[in-house]
Amino acid sequence: MENTTVEKKKIVLSCIQPTGTPTLGNYLGALKNWANMCDDYNCLYGVADLHSITVPTFRENPQQLKKNTLELYALLLAIGLDPEKNIIFVQSQVPTHAQLGWILNCYTQFGEASRMTQFKEKSQRLGENISVGLFDYPVLMAADILIYNADFVPIGADQKQHLELARNICDRFNAIYGNVLKAPDPFIGKAGAKITSLQDPTKKMSKSDDNPKSYISMLDEPNVIMKKIKSAVTDSEACVRYAEGKDGINNLMTIYSCCTGKSFEEIEKEFEGKGYGDFKTAVGEAVCAELAPIQARYKELIADKKYLEECMKKGAEMATRISQRTLDKVMKKVGFYQTK
Ligand code: TYM
């Protein structure tokens, strides 16, 4: 007998901040998985611009924020996210996120928000200039996720703690009002979940690092990529093998593995008896090959602002429509007076 039950696709949601051109870390840790999940899931992906004004750099540079937002949107399409099949939106154009964010604030304990390591690190760097928004940002992130009843959230390892917070907020809310919100699971790839800085491989690669040699931007020219990989910090052993204490080489092996699909064992074999120079050349070339088609597509897309704005508008409309349902349900449960 013909199987007439069509299985409903699971929901995937993730966002990225427009705080600069994404790095190879963003790509291998998150964006590449976003693109891979497109066919099997109902995907919603957002440019998290509301999050970006939590730090002074973007509060003080509105033009830069605007420019970054358009560029990041174009880059999301360039990695292969199809706006016809996925919902790709800019967060500030979907008002429901901030609305749910406020409500969830009241179901978040001050103590649990204080334990967020990213807040501790960022606030240490910022000194006196710490906004309440920076503290509150993981709650908005929880709203981003919970408002779509997301099943999976593809992220790098640095966002795992925020996802756990989202689950805790969800459970607390549901404990009072019944099964209203859906607890999401993180989707963290086996390789690439934490790509580290090329200059200090004990730290994560970050687009807000002051030293551009420490990260590869997804739009870096091939000669720049080669130079940055060549100057990556390694060790004095001159042996390509994955081992404790070899953070720099481990990172380059991870990058190479993500770009070529080769396992660490295969890589060790390939470079047996060869020095770091040869290995770095191969890593650089693999990164250039991975990014070249994305960069070419990006150049076409960024030249077509009209198309990008049309996609943005459509994405925001669809995201608003879907998320409004959850918001309405939440508001009703909480007891906000609704007129018919
Ligand atoms: P953001 O913009 O810092 O980073 C976007 C994604 O890239 C991942 N990532 C990395 N993965 C591996 N190695 C690295 N060096 C590396 N650096 C960054 C991040 O884990 C992330 O998945 N708060 C989020 C944005 C956000 C969000 C959300 C994410 C807002 N709302 C809802 C998921 C769901 C952030 O700042 O990511």
Side-chain angles (χ1 to χ4, degrees), residues 13-17 25-26 29-30 48 51 137 141 144-145 153-159 162 192-195 204-205 207:
L13 172 287
S14 199
C15 301
I16 177 169
Q17 293 199 50
N26 293 124
H51 287 266
Y137 136 133
M141 180 165 158
D144 297 338
I145 299 166
V153 185
I155 42 172
D158 64 322
Q159 295 296 329
H162 291 161
K194 188 183 176 195
I195 300 296
K204 84 166 181 183
M205 182 182 281
K207 51 184 166 332

Side-chain angles (χ1 to χ4, degrees), residues 155-181:
I155 42 172
D158 64 322
Q159 295 296 329
K160 198 165 167 248
Q161 194 188 27
H162 291 161
L163 202 94
E164 276 156 18
L165 177 72
R167 288 179 62 96
N168 290 343
I169 297 172
C170 172
D171 289 347
R172 193 171 296 123
F173 193 90
N174 285 349
I176 306 173
Y177 304 105
N179 215 4
V180 184
L181 300 170

Side-chain angles (χ1 to χ4, degrees), residues 232-246:
V233 168
T234 51
D235 54 68
S236 54
E237 192 195 30
C239 175
V240 178
R241 64 185 186 100
Y242 197 94
E244 214 179 306
K246 286 172 71 74

Side-chain angles (χ1 to χ4, degrees), residues 17-19 49-66 68 126-135 137:
Q17 293 199 50
T19 41
D49 54 349
L50 294 179
H51 287 266
S52 299
I53 58 164
T54 56
V55 290
T57 325
F58 294 95
R59 283 200 294 277
E60 288 154 15
N61 290 293
Q63 286 310 323
Q64 190 65 44
L65 179 62
K66 219 170 143 184
N68 286 1
L126 290 171
E128 296 283 285
N129 206 349
I130 305 162
S131 67
V132 174
L134 185 69
F135 180 72
Y137 136 133

